[in-house]
Amino acid sequence: MTERYVLDLQEVDETQVAVVGGKGAHLGGLSRIEGIRVPAGFCVTTDAFRRIMAEAPSLGDRLDQLSRLNPDDREAIRTLSAQIRRTVEGIAIPDDLTAAITRALARLGEQAAYAVRSSATAEDLPTASFAGQQDTYLNVVGPTAILQHVSRCWASLFTERAVTYRQRNGIDHRTVHMAVVVQRMVFPHASGILFTADPVTGNRKVATVDAGFGLGEALVSGLVNPDVFKVRQGEIVAKAIAAKQRAVHALPTGGTQEAAIDSRRQEQPALTDAQVVRLVQLGRRIEAHFGRPQDIEWCLVDDGFQIVQSRPITTLFPVPETGGQENHVYVSVGHQQMMTDPMKPLGLSMWQLTAMVPMHTAGGRLFVDVTRRLASPASRAGLLDVMGRGDPLVRDALETVLDRDDFVPSLPDAGPGGPPIGGASATIESDPAIVTELIERSQVSIAALERDIRTKTGPALFEFLLEAFEEHKRVLSDPLSMQAIMAGMEATWWLNDTLQEWLGEKNAADTLTLSAPDNVTSEMGLALLDVADVIRPHSEVVAFLQGVEDEGFLDELAKLAGGTEARDAMEAYLDRYGMRCVGEIDITRPRWRERPTTLVPVLLDNVRNFEPGAAERRFGQGRQKALQKEQDVLSRLRALPDGDRKADEAKRMIDRVRTFIGYREYPKYGIVSRYFVYKQALLEEAERLVLAGVLPEKEDIFYLTFQELHDVVRSNQVDDRLIQQRKDAFGSYHALTPPRVLTSDGEAVTGAYRREDVPAGALIGLPVSAGTVEGRARVILDIAEADLEAGDILVTTFTDPSWSPLFVAVAGLVTEVGGLMTHGAVIAREYGLPAVVGVERATRLIRDGQRIRVHGTDGYVEIVP
C-alpha cells in the first residue's frame, strides 16, 4: 500500500502524468532514452498529495471559494491562496508516508544534497507549459529538511500566480494534483537551457543554447545574460558570448548563494564549441523521443551533460503536414480574408472544399503553398506584385525567403506554376449593366440552392452539398466576375500610380471611390443608420434595447409602443444581412440572424450619435466629394503638356473605378449567403444526431471535418474522444499568433516595411484611405462591446464586412491586419475615413482612450502626448 506513495524515476514514463505530474513523467521518460543521463531520484506521487488534502476537510470549502473568485480580484486571490498554503504546510505528514520517503532517501544516500521539485498534473502539457508556476528548492540536505520542502511543494500548487494562471485558462483547481520530484543534486561547472527549435522565429532546424556558469538559477532568474549559441545541422551558425559577472553556487550546508565570477573568467564561454554541438545532438535525440520541439534544462558536470528537465515548447506555430522532405513556403489565408483567429475543424474543411486553390491547415488556420509559384521566375514576379499590393509585409517576407538562395529551388519557366494570380484581366466595357447582371446571376444561384436543399436529409444532404460546392466554385470563378473585380482594382492602382506621377498627388483614388455604387458592404453600414432612424423616436423601444440579453428579444418588441415598426425594420435588415458575422469565413461562427443581440450596441450608438436621415446625407456627401475631386483632377491634368489626352485617360479610369469597385465586395457576400444555407441544413442534421443520442449537443459537429460529419451521419456513430481532443486543441490555438508567411522549417517570417519617411516613434502601416485625423483611440476586440462617441478612432486586430456598421460612427481606422484591397480598406475609402492597416501589434501598443493621429495618406500612426 505504502509503495504507491513513492516511485523511482526509472519506474515512470511520460504516460504517467496523473501519477507523478508533468515534470516527473518527463524526467522518467528522459531517463529511459539511450545516452541521456538524468540525476537519480524518485517521485512522491499524487496519491500522497490527495492523502494530505484529505487530512484537512476545510480545504474543500476554500477551493470552492477560490474557484468563485474573479481572476482579476488580485487581493482576494492573494489572501485566500495564502490561507490554503499555510494550511497545507501545517499538515503533519502521516507516519507511513514519512517512512516511504525516508526509505527512498536511504537508497540514494540520506545525507546527500537533493533538489526538491514541484510536479503538477497540469504542467508541461503540449498546449500549456505552466512554466514557473510551481516551486523548486535546490541543495536540500537531510530527511527533516526534505520532508519540510515536500510540504512546501504541495503548498506551491496554491501560489497566487499558479491560481490566477489556472483561472485564466479555465482549469478547475480540484482537478490539478501535485507530485514532488526528489533528485540527487548536481553541482555543475555550467548550466543553461537548450531549445531544439528557435523560440523566436520558430525555425525547427535551428537549435538555441543559452549557457552560464554554475547553477541554472542565475539564468532563469535573469541574474546574468547567458552566452547564446545557434546551431543548424551540426554547425554553430551564430554565437554571442556575454560578460557573466555572477553565478549561483550550492553551499555545503544546504541552500544556494550568489557569487561574483573572477574577472578573467567573465568573458570566457561557458561551453566550448564542441560541447555545444554535442549538447544539441543530445537535444535532437530527446526531441525525437517526445515527438515535438523541446525546452531542455541541462547541467555540465565533469565534461558530461546531465538533463534535469524537458518540456514541450508551446509557443511555436505548428507546420502544415504535407509529407515529403522538400522545402515549402506557405502564405496565410487569414491575413487576406481578414480573419486571423483560429477556425474550428468544420469551418476549415468547408472553406477548403469551396476555395479556388488547395489549402493546408495548421494551428487552426489556413495556408496556401506558394512554393511552385516562387520557384518559377515567370509566376514569381506576378505573385510578388499582387501580394505586395495587398500587403507589403507578405511581399517582404517572401523576398526574405527568396534571398536565402538555397531554400526555394528555381524551376524553368515552363514549370507548373498554376494560373496567374488574380485571374483574367482582359478588358471589359465600363458598363454598370455588367455589375447588375453579375449580382442577378448570384441571386438566382443562391435562390436555387435554398429551394433544392429543403428536401435533402441524411447522407443525401452530403451528396447534394458536394455538388453545391462545385456550383459555389463555378460562380466564384465566373470569368466575367473575375474581370469586373480586376477592372476595379487595376483602375484604382492605375489612378494612384499615374496621378502621383502626373500631379504629385498620393492616393488620389481614395477620394474618387467615395460612395461608389453597388457596394453591398458599405450599404450594410448605412442601412443600420436607417434602422436607427425608425427606433430613435420610440423611447420605450430604446430603453428596452439597452437591457437586452436574450436572443429572442425581437418577439418581445411588438408589446411596446413603436415596437412593431422597430421589429419590422430589424427583421428586414437581418433578412438582407443576417448571414454576416465577425470571422464569417468560419461557417461555425454565430451569424447575426442567430445572435441578433450582437447588433444592439452598434444600433444604440447610431441612435445616440446621429441625426435622422444620416445615411442618405453621408452617401450624398461622399458622392459630391468624389465628383468635385474628379473635376479638380481633370482640370489640373488639362493644364499639363498633352493635357487633353491625360485627362481623357484619367476620366476613363475614374469611370471604370466607379463602375466596378463596389462589386469587389459582392462575391464575399455571395459566399457568406451560401454558407448560411449550408449551415442551417447541417445544424438540422446535428439536431437529428442529438435526438438519436449520437451527439450530446449539436454544436459538437463544429469539431468534425465535413467528411467526418458525413461518416457520422452514415454510421450514426461518433468518436467522443476525437471531439474532446479537437476542443482542447482549438482552445490552445487562440494563444498562437499566425504568421503571414511560414516555411516548412517552421520559421515564421514576419516581413518589414523598410521605410525611412516616418517620424521617430510612429507606428508604421499601410496607407489605404487618405486624410489625417486625430481623436480618441477605441481599442475594440469584440464588436458587441463597441461603445463609440463621434470622433473616435477604431483600433482593432482585423475588420471583415461585419464591422462596417461601426465605420459610419468613427473618424478613422487602425488595424493590425489588412491590405489595400481588403474589406476594411475598401469601406474606409467609401466612407472617407483616414485608415492605416497592417500596423503590427497596434492593439497592444495603443491603449484604449489614448489620443492618436492617423496619417492615412502616408501610412503611419502617432500617439499624441
Side-chain angles (χ1 to χ4, degrees), residues 8-25:
D8 194 87
L9 271 182
Q10 300 285 338
E11 295 177 73
V12 299
D13 63 23
E14 55 270 32
T15 62
Q16 288 164 279
V17 172
V19 183
V20 295
K23 189 175 291 147

Side-chain angles (χ1 to χ4, degrees), residues 294-315:
Q294 297 287 302
D295 159 356
I296 297 165
E297 291 178 29
W298 54 269
C299 294
L300 177 67
V301 186
D302 305 329
D303 200 38
F305 286 104
Q306 299 219 22
I307 304 300
V308 293
Q309 186 152 339
S310 185
R311 61 165 75 97
I313 309 175
T314 56
T315 53

Side-chain angles (χ1 to χ4, degrees), residues 549-622:
E549 282 176 9
D550 189 298
E551 296 302 343
F553 73 91
L554 288 170
D555 298 333
E556 301 292 308
L557 276 174
K559 300 172 189 169
L560 308 173
T564 307
E565 295 149 80
R567 186 192 62 196
D568 291 349
M570 287 194 74
E571 285 286 358
Y573 186 85
L574 289 170
D575 285 345
R576 181 140 166 75
Y577 305 111
M579 76 295 285
R580 308 222 87 149
C581 67
V582 173
E584 60 193 9
I585 71 167
D586 181 353
I587 199 170
T588 71
R589 289 287 192 104
R591 311 282 135 179
W592 290 345
R593 177 46 92 187
E594 297 169 298
R595 204 174 281 176
T597 52
T598 311
L599 289 171
V600 171
V602 192
L603 194 51
L604 289 170
D605 282 347
N606 286 354
V607 168
R608 191 175 69 242
N609 293 335
F610 291 93
E611 297 294 317
E616 201 176 332
R617 265 198 313 282
R618 286 189 69 135
F619 192 76
Q621 285 163 353

Side-chain angles (χ1 to χ4, degrees), residues 144-292:
T144 309
I146 284 167
L147 287 165
Q148 185 188 359
H149 283 87
V150 167
S151 281
R152 282 192 186 169
C153 282
W154 287 329
S156 77
L157 192 61
F158 304 105
T159 60
E160 184 190 344
R161 65 174 184 265
V163 165
T164 307
Y165 188 93
R166 287 197 294 274
Q167 282 183 295
R168 289 199 189 288
N169 285 279
I171 293 164
D172 181 351
H173 302 301
R174 287 169 172 277
T175 61
V176 184
H177 299 116
M178 179 65 85
V180 181
V181 177
V182 180
Q183 266 179 302
R184 282 290 294 257
M185 188 72 191
V186 288
F187 301 101
H189 161 74
S191 59
I193 297 166
L194 156 64
F195 296 99
T196 64
D198 189 316
V200 179
T201 67
N203 194 321
R204 307 306 199 263
K205 291 194 174 162
V206 175
T208 303
V209 175
D210 289 6
F213 293 120
L215 291 167
E217 293 304 286
L219 301 191
V220 175
S221 63
L223 187 65
V224 295
N225 288 331
D227 296 339
V228 180
F229 302 86
K230 290 193 183 291
V231 178
R232 186 187 174 100
Q233 288 162 337
E235 268 183 59
I236 294 177
V237 290
K239 65 176 163 181
I241 307 304
K244 298 168 287 298
Q245 292 166 344
R246 309 192 69 70
V248 173
H249 294 291
L251 294 169
T253 52
T256 59
Q257 182 184 34
E258 270 181 50
I261 294 174
D262 184 310
S263 59
R264 286 165 304 192
R265 275 184 71 214
Q266 286 180 9
E267 304 278 349
Q268 277 181 0
L271 295 177
T272 66
D273 287 3
Q275 285 170 333
V276 170
V277 171
R278 196 166 84 230
L279 175 61
V280 170
Q281 283 168 345
L282 294 176
R284 291 282 175 229
R285 199 176 291 178
I286 293 168
E287 177 182 67
H289 174 83
F290 288 118
R292 58 177 64 230

Side-chain angles (χ1 to χ4, degrees), residues 206-448:
V206 175
T208 303
V209 175
D210 289 6
F213 293 120
L215 291 167
E217 293 304 286
L219 301 191
V220 175
S221 63
L223 187 65
V224 295
N225 288 331
D227 296 339
V228 180
F229 302 86
K230 290 193 183 291
V231 178
R232 186 187 174 100
Q233 288 162 337
E235 268 183 59
I236 294 177
V237 290
K239 65 176 163 181
I241 307 304
K244 298 168 287 298
Q245 292 166 344
R246 309 192 69 70
V248 173
H249 294 291
L251 294 169
T253 52
T256 59
Q257 182 184 34
E258 270 181 50
I261 294 174
D262 184 310
S263 59
R264 286 165 304 192
R265 275 184 71 214
Q266 286 180 9
E267 304 278 349
Q268 277 181 0
L271 295 177
T272 66
D273 287 3
Q275 285 170 333
V276 170
V277 171
R278 196 166 84 230
L279 175 61
V280 170
Q281 283 168 345
L282 294 176
R284 291 282 175 229
R285 199 176 291 178
I286 293 168
E287 177 182 67
H289 174 83
F290 288 118
R292 58 177 64 230
Q294 297 287 302
D295 159 356
I296 297 165
E297 291 178 29
W298 54 269
C299 294
L300 177 67
V301 186
D302 305 329
D303 200 38
F305 286 104
Q306 299 219 22
I307 304 300
V308 293
Q309 186 152 339
S310 185
R311 61 165 75 97
I313 309 175
T314 56
T315 53
L316 299 176
F317 199 86
V319 183
E321 287 177 26
T322 44
Q325 295 302 302
E326 306 88 40
N327 290 342
H328 293 272
V329 182
Y330 303 98
V331 171
S332 160
V333 173
H335 284 80
Q336 293 161 335
Q337 289 295 338
M338 298 299 95
M339 163 61 178
T340 53
D341 290 346
M343 293 166 70
K344 295 190 177 113
L346 186 63
L348 292 165
S349 68
M350 293 286 277
W351 193 262
Q352 284 174 303
L353 286 165
T354 51
M356 305 310 298
V357 292
M359 291 184 180
H360 304 274
T361 65
R365 277 76 167 192
L366 290 163
F367 293 87
V368 172
D369 186 342
V370 295
T371 322
R372 282 321 244 307
R373 290 184 190 278
L374 283 178
S376 159
S379 55
R380 181 187 306 151
L383 175 76
L384 290 174
D385 184 49
V386 169
M387 291 289 170
R389 286 188 183 278
D391 183 343
L393 293 177
V394 173
R395 177 178 183 138
D396 188 76
L398 290 174
E399 286 176 333
T400 303
V401 175
L402 284 169
D403 285 346
R404 298 173 194 157
D405 297 333
D406 54 345
F407 195 81
V408 178
S410 238
L411 288 177
D413 277 352
I421 293 253
S425 64
T427 52
I428 53 171
E429 292 304 308
S430 296
D431 179 359
I434 293 173
V435 172
T436 310
E437 185 195 334
L438 284 168
I439 290 173
E440 264 171 34
R441 279 188 203 178
S442 174
Q443 286 171 338
V444 166
S445 174
I446 291 167

